[in-house]
């Protein structure tokens, strides 16, 4: 480690894309917190759009937040040492110009970019199946390709979650159940807007498939073994874990939150009627305090194993991710997804730590140059 570098703070650029109406895209409150945290810690930090980040220029146009005037202002900044990718939408990140810029950062001889891309849901499961300890945590998952492969999987598991490969916030998720004793054994629950579920029943596979197709609008979907999640007052819940690299460059759990589903909902998202709770409050009544402590510890060590394996699988430098993990009625743990653009955690102690870690890890990267 060079002592000269240790004395200087890296220039950190938070990457997003431009927006005609509102300067740039992304959760402004989040970006504001990030920039303010960096500034408080004496890091030169700014928000930059993929278009403005010209890697061959001497300086780039970026944005900083002016607290007194409550506005973002545009200014010239030095080229970054570290780029933290917060492009908020998959559609934007997929655009050739944005992709190209990210790839230029990856190949650059000194700039370090972390979390360069969104994860694809199906790939995550492929990566996690390649390691014995993470393999045990993933529900059986396959690409949904037609009525025959759906039917075959339904015969094995009886409950399947159908999810878009590039989904978020519970959009497009369906629960398919097979109840052989019923006249209409196929039961499809579609998570409608806000607090409504649509339940479709049929005894014909073809009709079921047509109904599913009309929901998926030809987007690629995965079908996944449905886990019987534990519940609290008849509502299912799961856990959101934030895992980040520290100032030492190692993965650690920053915090764990719980999300309690709305009544009869099939996912736990807050926009789908869910609420934020403390994990212990929900786990204690089901498992007792001793077992709850064991589960929480297991959860943290599993989350770190998962993060390492995802980073390895992705082949890119990662610095943080959030994960959705579920606990079933036997106390076993399951991985549902990981997100490379974690939403901000509203739990105050998690929030503060998560912001600090972005910069602690940036400092680590700066002290460990490429090659
Ligand atoms: N295989 C499954 N079994 C049981 N519940 C699931 C399963 N997959 C997803 N869920 C529930 O749905 C939620 C959303 O699933 P997730 O894959 O995270 O999609 P999204 O990207 O929309 O957040 C999970 O947090 C969990 O509550
Ligand atoms: Mg999720």
């Amino acid at each position: 480690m060079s002592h000269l570098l240790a004395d200087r703070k890296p220039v950190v650029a938070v990457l997003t894309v431009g927006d005609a109406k509102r300067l740039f895209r992304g959760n402004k409150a989040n970006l504001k917190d990030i920039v303010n945290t960096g500034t408080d810690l004496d890091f030169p930090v700014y928000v930059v759009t993929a278009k403005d980040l010209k890697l061959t220029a001497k300086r780039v146009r970026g944005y900083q937040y002016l607290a007194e005037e409550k506005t973002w202002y545009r200014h010239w900044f030095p080229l970054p040492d570290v780029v933290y990718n917060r492009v908020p939408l998959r559609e934007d990140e997929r655009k050739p110009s944005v992709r190209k810029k990210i790839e230029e950062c990856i190949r650059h001889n000194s700039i370090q970019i972390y979390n360069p891309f969104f994860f694809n849901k199906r790939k995550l499961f492929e990566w996690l199946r390649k390691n014995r300890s993470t393999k045990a945590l993933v529900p059986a998952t396959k690409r949904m390709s037609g009525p025959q492969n759906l039917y075959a999987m339904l015969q094995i598991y009886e409950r399947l979650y159908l999810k878009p490969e590039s989904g978020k916030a519970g959009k497009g998720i369906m629960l398919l159940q097979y109840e052989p004793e019923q006249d209409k054994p196929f039961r499809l629950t579609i998570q409608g807007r806000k607090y409504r579920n649509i339940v479709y029943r049929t005894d014909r596979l073809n009709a079921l498939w047509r109904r599913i197709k009309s929901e998926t609008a030809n987007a690629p979907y995965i079908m996944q073994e449905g886990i019987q999640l534990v519940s609290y007052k008849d509502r299912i819940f799961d856990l959101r874990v934030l895992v980040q690299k520290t100032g030492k460059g190692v993965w650690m759990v920053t915090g764990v939150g719980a999300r309690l589903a709305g009544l009869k909902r099939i996912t736990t998202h807050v926009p789908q009627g869910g609420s934020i709770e403390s994990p212990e409050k929900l786990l204690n009544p089901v498992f007792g305090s001793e077992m709850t402590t064991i589960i929480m510890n297991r959860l943290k060590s599993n989350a770190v194993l998962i993060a390492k394996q995802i980073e390895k699988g992705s082949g890119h430098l990662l610095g943080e991710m959030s994960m959705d993990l579920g606990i079933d009625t036997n106390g076993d743990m399951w991985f549902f997804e990981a997100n490379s653009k974690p939403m901000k955690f509203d739990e105050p102690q998690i929030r503060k730590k998560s912001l600090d870690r972005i910069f602690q890890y940036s400092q680590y990267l700066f002290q460990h140059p490429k090659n």
Side-chain angles (χ1 to χ4, degrees):
M1 196 217 299
S2 151
H3 288 279
L4 274 174
L5 290 181
D7 291 340
R8 174 157 94 77
K9 299 270 200 250
V11 178
V12 178
V14 184
L15 182 69
T16 183
V17 293
D19 186 285
K21 291 205 189 80
R22 36 198 293 272
L23 301 178
F24 49 83
R25 295 203 176 143
N27 179 328
K28 290 268 159 65
N30 188 31
L31 294 169
K32 199 193 299 175
D33 287 349
I34 294 168
V35 169
N36 288 345
T37 302
T39 306
D40 287 348
L41 296 169
D42 286 330
F43 284 76
V45 51
Y46 57 90
V47 171
V48 70
T49 66
K51 195 173 170 202
D52 284 342
L53 183 60
K54 299 196 174 77
L55 298 180
T56 50
K58 288 212 171 59
R59 48 183 201 164
V60 296
R61 273 182 177 280
Y63 298 91
Q64 261 187 354
Y65 189 73
L66 261 190
E68 305 92 70
E69 285 160 43
K70 298 200 168 125
T71 57
W72 291 91
Y73 77 102
R74 203 165 184 227
H75 196 72
W76 290 105
F77 293 95
L79 273 174
D81 300 299
V82 174
V83 175
Y84 170 45
N85 178 12
R86 290 294 322 192
V87 173
L89 299 172
R90 289 173 188 271
E91 304 86 276
D92 287 330
E93 204 179 80
R94 266 198 295 262
K95 284 181 188 150
S97 59
V98 176
R99 254 202 104 84
K100 206 172 140 236
K101 194 57 64 77
I102 292 173
E103 274 157 10
E104 267 176 46
C105 290
I106 294 173
R107 282 194 310 267
H108 194 275
N109 59 16
S110 66
I111 293 175
Q112 306 206 62
I113 181 168
Y114 69 93
N115 287 30
F117 301 115
F118 276 98
F119 301 137
N120 167 292
K121 236 167 239 191
R122 198 167 41 87
K123 290 253 177 69
L124 287 173
F125 290 94
E126 270 171 31
W127 300 334
L128 294 176
R129 267 196 297 271
K130 287 185 184 151
N131 171 297
R132 195 152 44 93
S133 43
T134 54
K135 189 179 175 188
L137 304 169
V138 300
T141 307
K142 285 206 171 88
R143 176 171 244 170
M144 184 171 78
S145 58
Q148 298 312 329
N149 95 334
L150 181 69
Y151 185 70
M153 186 134 169
L154 196 56
Q155 292 302 301
I156 303 173
Y157 296 105
E158 294 192 344
R159 273 168 66 84
L160 294 180
Y161 269 74
L162 312 180
K163 310 194 279 190
E165 280 181 20
S166 307
K168 71 164 182 190
K171 286 202 193 89
I173 295 184
M174 295 174 264
L175 170 64
L176 177 60
Q177 288 157 287
Y178 187 69
E179 301 169 332
E181 71 287 356
Q182 299 282 334
D183 289 347
K184 295 181 172 176
F186 298 113
R187 180 191 161 99
L188 181 71
T189 308
I190 302 160
Q191 176 142 276
R193 231 165 263 133
K194 271 285 171 190
Y195 306 105
R196 277 183 54 239
N197 283 337
I198 299 158
V199 178
Y200 173 78
R201 307 199 69 126
T202 180
D203 57 351
R204 289 180 311 128
L205 184 61
N206 279 340
L208 172 71
W209 183 249
R210 268 201 307 278
R211 188 71 182 86
I212 290 172
K213 282 319 263 184
S214 78
E215 290 298 321
T216 62
N218 282 324
Y221 259 66
I222 55 173
M223 46 186 194
Q224 188 169 73
E225 166 186 8
I227 304 302
Q228 200 72 63
L229 293 174
V230 275
S231 47
Y232 175 88
K233 296 188 175 162
D234 289 333
R235 295 159 191 252
I236 57 164
F237 66 89
D238 60 13
L239 303 160
R240 301 284 138 96
V241 186
L242 182 62
V243 196
Q244 291 178 291
K245 283 194 189 149
T246 64
K248 293 198 165 75
V250 296
W251 288 106
M252 291 260 270
V253 170
T254 306
V256 185
R259 300 292 178 266
L260 181 64
L263 206 58
K264 300 205 172 132
R265 299 303 272 173
I266 61 173
T267 76
T268 58
H269 303 89
V270 174
Q272 306 285 355
S275 59
I276 298 176
E277 302 287 348
S278 102
E280 285 81 3
K281 173 184 150 187
L282 304 186
L283 288 167
N284 261 322
V286 192
F287 296 107
S289 70
E290 217 168 294
M291 189 61 192
T292 294
T293 308
I294 293 171
I295 289 176
M296 289 302 286
N297 287 334
R298 229 172 55 214
L299 191 83
K300 289 174 195 163
S301 55
N302 282 335
V304 167
L305 287 177
I306 290 169
K308 285 183 185 162
Q309 186 63 19
I310 289 177
E311 185 175 33
K312 195 168 159 193
S314 80
H316 291 295
L317 182 69
L318 304 182
E320 67 176 11
M321 66 184 77
S322 62
M323 283 171 207
D324 298 342
L325 300 175
I327 312 287
D328 70 16
T329 44
N330 302 318
D332 289 327
M333 214 158 281
W334 298 93
F335 169 89
F336 295 134
E337 75 157 340
N339 198 313
S340 64
K341 308 283 170 57
M343 297 225 278
K344 67 189 182 75
F345 276 59
D346 290 323
E347 293 84 346
Q349 54 321 346
I350 303 180
R351 181 67 182 149
K352 170 82 177 77
K353 205 167 170 184
S354 72
L355 290 163
D356 289 344
R357 278 196 171 155
I358 292 168
F359 293 94
Q360 289 158 357
Y361 180 54
S362 298
Q363 183 77 48
Y364 170 87
L365 283 179
F366 186 55
Q367 286 163 1
H368 294 77
K370 276 179 163 173
N371 311 315

